[in-house]
Amino acid sequence: MRTCGHASQRTASATSLAREHCSSSLSDYKLRRSCYFRIRAPAVQQRKPLRGPACVTYAKSGPSNGAQLVPAKRAAATEKEGPSTDFRVIWSRLWKLTLPYWTKSEDATKAKWKLAGVVLLTLGTTGVSVWFNFLGRDFFNALSEKDTERFTQMLIKWLCSLFVGIPVYVLRDYYLSVLSLEWREWMTNEFTSDYFKDRSFYQVQAGNLVDNPDQRITNDVRNFTDTALSFSMTILNAVIDLVSFSEILYTIYPPLFVVLVVYSVGGTGISIKLGQKLVGLNFQQEAQEANFRYGLVRVRENAESIAFYGGEASEQRLLWQRLSAVIKNYAQLLSTSRNLEFFTSSYRFLIQILPAAVVAPLYFQGKIGFGVINQSSSAFNHILSDVSLVVYQFESIANFGAVIDRLGEFQEVLESSATSRSTSTDVADSQPSSTEAPSLIQLVDQPGPSDQGGVLLDLDGVTLQTPDRTSTLVQNLSVKVNDGESLLVMGPSGVGKTSVLRAIAGLWSTGSGTITRFGQTVAAGQEGDIMFVPQRPYMVLGSLREQVLYPTWATSPDPSSAENGAHTQSATGRDATSSGGASADDTNGSAASPSSRSMRAVPSDQEICHVLRQVQLGPLLDRVSGDAGVGLDTSADWASMLSLGEQQRLAFARIIISKPKLVIMDEATSALDTNNEELLYKALKQIGVTFVSVGHRPTLTAYHEQQLRLQPVSKDSSPSGMEWEVSPISEAAVSKT
């Protein structure tokens, strides 16, 4: 029996009306902070983007009797991401990044007490500064009056005060750094958790939503916590200093206080004018540095492929282009900093004589002593430093603004992912009309195999589109995979075979229909019934044992037993049961997952070695001296050390040792010879594993019971759609002949 279908590609037609529709869909987050009004027609009109929450525009396209909403695309990524110049946006992002640690974290109370201690020490530093201000006055008065006895007394007081004052400054800086380190640890854990939650890391990478998330989690978080605390204490200290020393300065000579205010306000305004480009330049410098670093990492990770292609010159040229972008941006940064430095240096040097020049007439008239001149200069410098923070710290403030913008942008992407996941069920169930947001594929996870014939996977009326909804890959696809009836997905390259697997895995959800998976998926730290295997298996950073046990028995060092070298099974992963995609039955899936399969004990070394030899990786064991399991603890860069064929055999070892009921594989034997291919597929059948395979080789038909063939349909030599056909393997072989 055959089942056939046909899918026409959706194409934009004449004029289409656009409307603004705010959405948190992560795949469309490239329109973040912008709401576009577009008309899909021969010409596209666009209003200037506005700053604000992430919004997505849907343009109605197609004939009037079958209009379809598709996201309006950004103009071919020509509009590059950049820093926000809106102070309100930066301020809002600053609070969103800052408040959670001090209000919602488990360590919030302790952190507040530690912060209170740092504040007290900061107050102490101000007291020490005021005390030394008066000591300096009396010291120089005794010196000018040639009073030996008083000079000696003041010298002793000065030295004794050092033993009291210095610890206050040192302890303040130490505990400030400790608090910053603890904040960084918490913030990094939060960003990392959100990054992996609901497969946001995949969406960020696949959609190129933000550049260099690794740098944002590492460098930017560190810079943010360090700078936020140091700036906070600097501002607090400035306010206290301003109050303390203003009275001293005003008491000495009121006109000097007026000169200080005029001088500082004017200096701040000029600094802002000269350095206003620094925020954008610092933002771009971070991005360009990260891009250059990433280019070097790619060379390291693909060294063999580059060497085979002889691509050294090409890679060197690409790296040079990235380095040139770094140098060019940094040259602009240096130029802007130079212009600012001309002013700030003059600003600093002038204040060395300005207080003395203003109060000198009083000294010449004998109204004040020489020590008062020193005291006024000290108070003037203190206050000027307080009110001239923008002048002195403008480059640091600009860099901090860029850090806030990068982290805030990253946080909004991750929040958008969480929001889209939580609302996807409602969107999918609502069955929107053509004037509403597009529907999503419903991904339903049932606790175990179906009672109706042991169905393991059921695709019902699935229409799959690309994430940007510009093309429909397959329409109304309906196919069931029963226990023991493996399915082979075939078709020319580029027709969307792997995309169907992405939809089954929940990575793509644009389209309509329902995908029901009977059983829980294998994930880190948990057994399951369904396992996905990509064409290039992922090699974890760790030992050979960890390669085989991944992901079911993900292991990690236990800090409490690190001295013993013990390993404990990681049963964490708060989102391990998340299926990804638009689950329409989360309550059933999550409720049943814990009891759907009991966790087996970690396989022994003998079992692991046996499985490795079963998949023809015995030579690898011999290479690492693993006859008795000794070599299983060997760690290496396995992605570079193993060939693609060896990696694919290792992926089959993971399947055999995990024993799922259903395996979904994407060209999992493409790098293997037919003998190894036959051996591995027969090994899966021997342990009762049903599989869905994507492949091109005719030899694969021998290991499957049914075939799904995807085939483009051409009209006038141009592809106009996609047809699919499901048939038993025997029938498919007859039809080909």
Side-chain angles (χ1 to χ4, degrees):
M1 179 179 178
R2 292 189 185 181
T3 307
C4 301
H6 179 269
S8 296
Q9 288 186 323
R10 306 298 178 103
T11 56
S13 63
T15 55
S16 308
L17 196 57
R19 72 182 183 85
E20 198 175 39
H21 177 79
C22 290
S23 168
S24 55
S25 172
L26 183 61
S27 62
D28 295 315
Y29 191 78
K30 282 192 175 183
L31 295 173
R32 60 178 174 75
R33 302 177 300 180
S34 305
C35 295
Y36 293 89
F37 295 83
R38 300 186 181 214
I39 297 178
R40 292 174 64 88
V44 177
Q45 298 177 0
Q46 179 177 336
R47 182 179 294 183
K48 183 179 180 180
L50 305 173
R51 293 282 180 187
C55 296
V56 177
T57 303
Y58 290 96
K60 187 171 69 175
S61 66
S64 58
N65 60 349
Q68 176 190 9
L69 289 176
V70 297
K73 291 168 118 180
R74 210 173 193 172
T78 55
E79 183 180 340
K80 294 182 179 180
E81 294 177 355
S84 172
T85 56
D86 190 334
F87 176 77
R88 291 173 299 178
V89 173
I90 295 179
W91 182 255
S92 174
R93 286 176 169 175
L94 174 62
W95 280 109
K96 284 182 65 178
L97 291 167
T98 303
L99 288 181
Y101 177 67
W102 305 99
T103 58
K104 299 178 182 179
S105 70
E106 296 178 357
D107 299 328
T109 303
K110 291 182 180 179
K112 289 176 183 176
W113 279 110
K114 292 178 182 178
L115 181 62
V118 173
V119 170
L120 288 176
L121 288 172
T122 302
L123 294 175
T125 60
T126 300
V128 171
S129 297
V130 173
W131 171 249
F132 273 95
N133 181 267
F134 283 97
L135 278 180
R137 180 197 64 183
D138 296 338
F139 179 85
F140 283 103
N141 276 337
L143 184 65
S144 64
E145 295 170 2
K146 300 181 181 180
D147 188 337
T148 306
E149 182 179 353
R150 192 181 178 195
F151 175 80
T152 303
Q153 293 176 353
M154 297 310 302
L155 185 60
I156 294 174
K157 281 186 178 181
W158 188 290
L159 294 175
C160 291
S161 298
L162 286 177
F163 288 100
V164 177
I166 288 178
V168 176
Y169 281 93
V170 173
L171 291 176
R172 190 273 308 269
D173 292 341
Y174 170 74
Y175 286 113
L176 188 65
S177 299
V178 170
L179 188 57
S180 173
L181 182 63
E182 293 173 351
W183 188 8
R184 178 194 177 187
E185 180 184 19
W186 181 88
M187 198 171 185
T188 301
N189 285 333
E190 285 297 300
F191 268 111
T192 304
S193 297
D194 291 341
Y195 188 50
F196 286 104
K197 184 178 181 181
D198 292 328
R199 295 171 175 167
S200 294
F201 68 95
Y202 173 80
Q203 301 292 349
V204 169
Q205 180 66 25
N208 194 25
L209 304 181
V210 293
D211 63 274
N212 305 293
D214 52 317
Q215 186 188 40
R216 298 181 192 235
I217 294 176
T218 54
N219 294 354
D220 288 346
V221 169
R222 183 196 64 214
N223 292 336
F224 176 81
T225 55
D226 288 347
T227 310
L229 281 175
S230 62
F231 270 177
S232 298
M233 293 303 104
T234 299
I235 293 172
L236 175 63
N237 193 62
V239 172
I240 299 171
D241 265 8
L242 186 62
V243 174
S244 303
F245 286 97
S246 291
E247 183 179 357
I248 297 174
L249 192 64
Y250 193 83
T251 302
I252 295 174
Y253 192 43
L256 182 59
F257 185 79
V258 175
V259 170
L260 181 147
V261 172
V262 174
Y263 189 74
S264 61
V265 171
T268 299
I270 296 173
S271 295
I272 293 174
K273 181 66 176 177
L274 292 175
Q276 60 185 352
K277 294 181 179 179
L278 285 176
V279 174
L281 290 172
N282 276 294
F283 184 99
Q284 291 299 331
Q285 190 64 27
E286 291 287 339
Q288 299 296 351
E289 293 279 6
N291 289 339
F292 178 59
R293 201 160 45 240
Y294 179 67
L296 290 170
V297 171
R298 287 187 72 255
V299 172
R300 183 187 67 191
E301 293 178 346
N302 299 279
E304 183 175 346
S305 299
I306 295 171
F308 269 122
Y309 278 111
E312 297 87 352
S314 176
E315 291 300 319
Q316 188 174 4
R317 183 174 65 255
L318 291 173
L319 287 173
W320 175 251
Q321 291 173 354
R322 294 194 174 197
L323 177 62
S324 298
V326 171
I327 300 301
K328 180 180 179 181
N329 190 82
Y330 196 67
Q332 297 178 20
L333 188 62
L334 288 177
S335 178
T336 305
S337 300
R338 176 204 61 201
N339 297 337
L340 181 62
E341 190 65 24
F342 272 125
F343 173 74
T344 55
S345 297
S346 303
Y347 189 87
R348 289 191 182 96
F349 279 106
L350 188 57
I351 62 174
Q352 296 180 13
I353 62 169
L354 185 60
V358 174
V359 300
L362 297 179
Y363 176 73
F364 294 144
Q365 295 172 13
K367 295 181 179 180
I368 58 173
F370 183 76
V372 176
I373 295 180
N374 179 73
Q375 184 185 25
S376 65
S377 296
S378 175
F380 187 92
N381 287 332
H382 267 282
I383 299 174
L384 191 62
S385 298
D386 300 333
V387 297
S388 301
L389 283 177
V390 174
V391 178
Y392 294 146
Q393 303 289 339
F394 195 89
E395 287 191 53
S396 298
I397 293 173
N399 186 59
F400 185 47
V403 168
I404 293 172
D405 204 40
R406 286 172 60 80
L407 277 181
E409 179 185 47
F410 188 42
Q411 185 182 51
E412 289 166 9
V413 169
L414 299 180
E415 287 177 351
S416 180
S417 173
T419 304
S420 65
R421 292 294 182 185
S422 63
T423 59
S424 58
T425 300
D426 297 334
V427 173
D429 289 342
S430 63
Q431 296 299 325
S433 65
S434 60
T435 58
E436 295 177 346
S439 61
L440 298 174
I441 297 173
Q442 298 183 56
L443 185 61
V444 181
D445 281 331
Q446 296 293 345
S450 169
D451 296 332
Q452 302 176 357
V455 178
L456 299 178
L457 180 65
D458 184 5
L459 281 69
D460 184 16
V462 173
T463 296
L464 178 62
Q465 298 173 316
T466 54
D468 58 9
R469 297 185 184 269
T470 56
S471 299
T472 298
L473 302 177
V474 65
Q475 188 174 24
N476 294 327
L477 174 61
S478 296
V479 61
K480 290 183 180 181
V481 178
N482 297 318
D483 190 10
E485 297 181 1
S486 298
L487 174 69
L488 176 61
V489 183
M490 301 190 77
S493 298
V495 297
K497 302 184 298 297
T498 301
S499 299
V500 173
L501 301 195
R502 293 190 183 112
I504 297 173
L507 302 181
W508 283 15
S509 59
T510 48
S512 60
T514 303
I515 299 176
T516 305
R517 305 184 304 196
F518 295 91
Q520 85 180 51
T521 56
V522 173
Q526 69 175 34
E527 285 193 279
D529 305 290
I530 304 173
M531 189 173 188
F532 293 88
V533 179
Q535 181 177 2
R536 178 176 288 276
Y538 174 64
M539 298 290 106
V540 300
L541 299 175
S543 65
L544 180 58
R545 177 187 291 104
E546 289 171 315
Q547 304 304 319
V548 181
L549 297 180
Y550 182 85
T552 306
W553 294 277
T555 57
S556 58
D558 183 356
S560 63
S561 59
E563 296 179 0
N564 301 326
H567 283 72
T568 58
Q569 180 180 316
S570 174
T572 58
R574 56 179 183 172
D575 298 296
T577 59
S578 173
S579 62
S583 176
D585 198 10
D586 284 339
T587 55
N588 293 340
S590 60
S593 292
S595 61
S596 60
R597 288 192 67 171
S598 58
M599 192 70 178
R600 291 187 290 127
V602 178
S604 65
D605 288 355
Q606 288 73 20
E607 291 179 88
I608 295 173
C609 290
H610 173 72
V611 170
L612 287 174
R613 295 190 185 281
Q614 187 178 357
V615 297
Q616 303 299 300
L617 285 178
L620 174 62
L621 276 175
D622 297 335
R623 235 157 55 202
V624 295
S625 303
D627 290 335
V630 178
L632 294 178
D633 288 319
T634 302
S635 294
D637 184 3
W638 300 105
S640 300
M641 178 179 175
L642 301 180
S643 67
L644 180 56
E646 289 174 317
Q647 293 178 37
Q648 290 185 340
R649 278 179 273 166
L650 187 56
F652 274 84
R654 292 172 178 172
I655 299 172
I656 295 171
I657 209 161
S658 297
K659 295 181 176 65
K661 294 182 179 179
L662 176 65
V663 179
I664 300 173
M665 302 182 288
D666 183 14
E667 300 191 50
T669 58
S670 60
L672 299 176
D673 58 87
T674 55
N675 290 333
N676 273 303
E677 178 185 274
E678 179 182 5
L679 184 148
L680 295 176
Y681 270 104
K682 285 184 176 179
L684 297 188
K685 283 188 170 292
Q686 287 174 0
I687 61 174
V689 174
T690 304
F691 36 85
V692 175
S693 304
V694 167
H696 293 278
R697 291 179 180 174
T699 54
L700 291 173
T701 57
Y703 321 117
H704 299 77
E705 284 69 40
Q706 55 182 340
Q707 174 181 297
L708 168 62
R709 175 166 288 275
L710 302 177
Q711 189 72 32
V713 178
S714 297
K715 282 186 178 181
D716 299 329
S717 301
S718 62
S720 61
M722 195 74 58
E723 68 176 4
W724 55 268
E725 178 184 1
V726 178
S727 60
I729 289 292
S730 57
E731 220 176 292
V734 171
S735 64
K736 285 188 75 173
T737 59

